[in-house]
Amino acid sequence: MTAVVEPPVARLAALPGVSTASRVGARAERARAAGRVLPVVPALARLLPEAGLRRGSTVAVHGGTSLLLALLAGAGAAGSWAAVVGMPSLGLAAAAEYGVDLTRLALVPHPGADLPAVVAALLDGVDVVAVQPETLQPAMARRLSARARHRGAVLLAAGAWPGADVELSCRREAWSGPSQGYGHLESRRARVRAHGRGAAARPTTTELHLPDSAGQVTPALPAPSLREATA
C-alpha cells in the first residue's frame, strides 16, 4: 500500500494557531454574517482586519476626508446609520459622489464644548460615528473609544487618536485628466497604508484610485518607477 504524504503546506495549516488565507477569509465572512463587521468597499477590504469595520473598534484616518467618506459609503450601502461630528467643511455633494447614503447620515457640524457628550450619545445608537478630534484631550478620546467598544459602534477619527485599533494613512497624488490645461478632472491616485495594533501583523499598503473616473474607489496599478517611466 502506498502511503499518502500530506503536502508541507497542509501539515503547516493543521497546526494550532496557524492561519491560512482561506481561514482568514472564512473568519471574515462569518464575522460579517454575524453582524460583527460592517462592510467596506472592496478596494479597502484588504486594509482592514476581517475585511471590514469591526464593531467596537476605533479607526484613525489621516490624509484628508476622501478616505473617510469611502469608509462611510461601504457601511451605509449595507443599511448602517452614520454620523459626522465637528466637521463643518464636509461637503454633502462630495459625500454623495463617494456613495454615502445621505438619508442615513446625521451631521453635527458645530458641537462646540459639547463634542464629547454628542459623540458619546451618538455611539449609543448609531453604527458609525466620524469625529474631528482636534479639540479632544487624550483621556476623553480613550473614554470615547471605550464607549464605542462597549456599545458595538465604530469610531472613525479624522486625524490622530490615542490608542486607535487601526491607523489608515492616505497620501494622494495629483489629479489626472486635463491635457495642456484643458479638460475635466477624471481620477486621483492614492497610496493608503494600514498599521496599528488591530491591523495585520505587518503594515499593509495598497494603491487606489480615490476616486476613479466614475467617482468610485477602485484598485490602481502601482505607479511606474522613474527608470520605467523614462525607458
Side-chain angles (χ1 to χ4, degrees):
M1 179 180 293
T2 303
V4 177
V5 179
E6 287 186 296
V9 172
R11 293 200 302 272
L12 179 63
L15 294 175
V18 175
S19 293
T20 63
S22 59
R23 282 185 183 176
V24 172
R27 282 203 303 267
E29 188 61 34
R30 288 196 298 269
R32 286 193 293 270
R36 297 195 305 271
V37 175
L38 302 180
V40 296
V41 295
L44 298 176
R46 67 182 300 266
L47 292 167
L48 296 164
E50 299 179 275
L53 295 171
R54 179 174 53 80
R55 287 186 177 275
S57 66
T58 298
V59 179
V61 181
H62 307 268
T65 59
S66 296
L67 182 56
L68 186 143
L69 291 176
L71 292 169
L72 291 175
S80 296
W81 283 82
V84 178
V85 184
M87 301 175 64
S89 62
L90 183 72
L92 291 180
E97 288 176 359
Y98 275 99
V100 177
D101 185 353
L102 301 184
T103 66
R104 292 179 175 272
L105 180 67
L107 297 176
V108 187
H110 299 285
D114 294 327
L115 187 146
V118 170
V119 173
L122 287 168
L123 289 171
D124 289 346
V126 178
D127 299 301
V128 186
V129 179
V131 58
Q132 172 58 257
E134 286 182 353
T135 61
L136 279 176
Q137 296 297 319
M140 177 56 69
R142 292 188 180 92
R143 283 198 288 271
L144 290 174
S145 286
R147 193 179 191 96
R149 190 160 50 249
H150 178 66
R151 298 298 188 183
V154 176
L155 185 58
L156 294 181
W161 191 278
D165 297 291
V166 180
E167 303 264 354
L168 296 178
S169 302
C170 180
R171 189 179 70 189
R172 304 178 73 193
E173 300 176 3
W175 285 90
S176 64
S179 177
Q180 298 180 348
Y182 296 93
H184 298 283
L185 298 174
E186 292 182 355
S187 65
R188 194 174 190 182
R189 293 181 64 95
R191 174 173 292 183
V192 181
R193 181 176 184 266
H195 57 102
R197 60 192 180 93
R202 293 183 179 180
T204 303
T205 302
T206 189
E207 302 272 351
L208 302 173
H209 291 298
L210 189 63
D212 64 10
S213 57
Q216 305 298 310
V217 182
T218 55
L221 294 175
S225 64
L226 180 61
R227 178 178 297 178
E228 293 171 335
T230 56

